Amino acid sequence: MSRLRFRLGTRAWVRAASISGNRCCIAHSPLWPGEFLSTLLKIIGKFARTVLPRRGGGCRCCNRRELMKAHLLSIAAALAATAFGVSGVSAQERTVHVYNWSDYIDESILQDFTKETGIKVVYDVFDSNDILETKLLAGGSGYDVVVPTAPFLARQIQAGVFQKLDKSKILNLSNLWPEISARLAKYDPGNEYAVNYMWGTTGIGYNVDKVKKALGDTPLDSWDVLFKPENAAKLKSCGVNILDASDETFAIGMNYVGKDPDSKETKDLEAGGKVYSDIRSSAKTFNSSSYIDDLANGDICITIGWSGDILQAKTRAEEAKNGVNIEFSIPKEGTYMWFDNLAIPADAKNVAEAHEFINYLMKPEVIAKASNYVQYANGNLSSQKFIDKEVLENPAVYPTEEVTKKLFTISPYGPKEQRVLNRLWTQIKTGK
Ligand code: SPD
């Protein structure tokens, strides 16, 4: 005797008929969630029960006519399972593996997604494009959705790391903000591989009271506050953090000393790097994730930081009622405007689920919920009516047109340029 068991999920149970040789039996099987499949298999089960009443949970011998009916029923059940993507006799639970930046989502969104689709989300975080890139280039990362920043995305597309999106499966792309999609198209021509998740700027996050105490009335709208060695030295005792993100810190440094922030010339990179080696002795940490809590708790008083991260630190301090007053400034000299984007690795195992996840995130009310929580701007125009007024109207999140004119973007580093950058950044961080 063999039992044909359809391991399809947990929501409903039906009976399916199976035969082996001259024997037949009725097996109880759990069903994959889904009303249609559930109903279909229930009907098949009902038929099976009529034809082959189950006795004592076992099997019984049947006549040729019954066997034929049972056989047809088992084929129908198998076809139903196949039609709904159930492979073999044992279908897996549907899962999507997501690798995103830390502090970059309202986790209730993940739970809501699972409730709506039945797809479980395995969610991991990183705090540097370099970490993500190392995994992607090695292959077999195990992730189905990842979130590279635009210049990294561009060179990873070139390296064949991603698969093209099946836009017929992401109908919510109709909600995108054409201006942001056009900016992203410089890195991903035709927007074939990626969808913008969030975008923002890199500026100065500071503890208002501690910085005022250290620097008096020094204006906080200029990189001078941090990059002038005499200022950094005065801030040393209250804690200075520098983002551990060499691609953009060098661009910001080059812009500060009057070079093209997108230059890849070694001498320009050295000039940009010198900005940091000059203040290295005043820096307490080089960090891109725990600096949020460090700022919120008063363990550092100033940092180069990403817009939403600083605003989250402000919110955390306010919620903790710890008396720490935090602000974010976009320096008048200009700064880096970046785009973080959802993409599917070429070797992703759960491609259908990855598309469903991206489509879900692009629902206006869902991505608005994400923006309200992380306090970053997103690339979905239809979402704006769902974004809290304090977020949408905060120029630190959605910069004014005037400020936007001073923002710059950068192109990808080539392999040789990247090696120069890595060497210089290691020297700066280690102080050697
Ligand atoms: N905590 C989430 C921060 C996301 C920042 N991504 C920006 C990368 C710019 N290089």
Side-chain angles (χ1 to χ4, degrees), residues 101-104 129 149 247-248 306 309 336 338 340 376:
W101 291 83
S102 50
D103 301 288
Y104 221 22
N129 272 300
T149 306
D247 56 307
E248 57 182 295
W306 294 311
D309 285 9
Y336 179 41
W338 46 260
D340 289 341
Y376 281 104

Side-chain angles (χ1 to χ4, degrees), residues 129-277:
N129 272 300
D130 301 318
I131 293 175
L132 171 62
E133 185 164 85
T134 303
K135 291 201 185 207
L136 291 173
L137 294 181
S141 68
Y143 294 113
D144 303 308
V145 177
V146 296
V147 192
T149 306
F152 288 81
L153 170 79
R155 72 182 184 192
Q156 289 157 4
I157 290 172
Q158 291 294 315
V161 159
F162 299 119
Q163 56 184 274
K164 283 188 185 171
L165 300 173
D166 180 347
K167 295 187 183 178
S168 71
K169 300 210 166 75
I170 316 180
L171 297 180
N172 288 321
L173 291 182
S174 61
N175 299 314
L176 294 185
W177 190 351
E179 199 182 314
I180 299 298
S181 300
R183 284 178 181 262
L184 188 55
K186 293 195 181 123
Y187 302 91
D188 170 21
N191 300 109
E192 288 191 298
Y193 290 88
V195 179
N196 180 250
Y197 174 60
M198 298 283 161
W199 58 272
T201 58
T202 306
I204 303 170
Y206 58 96
N207 178 317
V208 176
D209 303 308
K210 287 194 177 174
V211 169
K212 192 172 170 57
K213 195 169 168 207
L215 297 181
D217 286 331
T218 303
L220 293 155
D221 64 347
S222 164
W223 285 113
D224 285 347
V225 68
L226 192 55
F227 290 159
K228 280 200 165 170
E230 59 274 27
N231 287 342
K234 288 183 195 154
L235 294 164
K236 181 177 179 174
S237 61
C238 64
V240 173
N241 178 64
I242 295 172
L243 274 184
D244 192 1
S246 54
D247 56 307
E248 57 182 295
T249 47
F250 274 79
I252 289 167
M254 288 190 283
N255 183 62
Y256 179 68
V257 297
K259 306 274 184 199
D260 173 4
D262 199 24
S263 173
K264 304 293 190 266
E265 297 288 324
T266 300
K267 62 175 177 21
D268 293 343
L269 290 170
E270 283 169 349
K274 186 169 181 305
V275 171
Y276 299 93
S277 44

Side-chain angles (χ1 to χ4, degrees), residues 32 94 112-120 356 360:
W32 178 254
R94 296 183 80 204
D112 293 347
F113 172 71
T114 302
K115 266 186 229 149
E116 186 167 312
T117 63
I119 300 170
K120 182 178 149 198
E356 278 191 61
Y360 182 79

